[in-house]
Amino acid sequence: MYEIIFSERLKKARKLSGFTQKEVEQETNISQSRLAKFENGKTEPDIKTIGTLAEFYGVSIDWLFGLGMQVKNNNYYDELSITQQKRADWS
């Protein structure tokens, strides 16, 4: 369950923030191919990478793993506060 939610939310966070995988690679030094594998659920990142991505996208690790979400009729709902503009000041 967590693996599926993580990959879906990672992709959602990137898209809502307006970044391409290549742009995330340029900002975080996490390769585009690794990002694609994380988003497709083919591999899982280490804890350092999880922290880097959560900080970059401005989301909590809890949110990335779906912790504390409400479940109703097998659908999950969440409150997400990701800016939809690129964060030019992230370093």
Side-chain angles (χ1 to χ4, degrees):
M1 177 175 126
Y2 293 118
E3 299 90 352
I4 294 168
I5 292 171
F6 176 81
S7 62
E8 289 174 354
R9 294 229 175 152
L10 191 63
K11 186 173 188 173
K12 183 176 185 176
R14 181 181 55 78
K15 288 186 177 261
L16 289 175
S17 66
F19 285 97
T20 64
Q21 289 176 344
K22 197 65 175 168
E23 291 170 327
V24 175
E25 174 184 40
Q26 292 168 348
E27 297 293 325
T28 64
N29 293 318
I30 301 167
S31 74
Q32 183 273 327
S33 62
R34 285 183 67 212
L35 289 166
K37 289 176 183 176
F38 299 154
E39 290 183 7
N40 291 325
K42 293 185 180 184
T43 62
E44 297 171 8
D46 58 42
I47 195 162
K48 180 180 176 186
T49 303
I50 292 168
T52 298
L53 291 168
E55 183 177 31
F56 179 74
Y57 293 129
V59 298
S60 71
I61 293 172
D62 285 355
W63 181 82
L64 281 175
F65 284 97
L67 301 174
M69 66 183 180
Q70 297 178 347
V71 178
K72 184 174 183 177
N73 299 329
N74 294 325
N75 293 311
Y76 59 86
Y77 302 91
D78 60 80
E79 298 297 322
L80 174 60
S81 60
I82 296 179
T83 180
Q84 295 201 16
Q85 298 177 359
K86 291 185 180 182
R87 295 176 48 210
D89 60 341
W90 195 87
S91 56

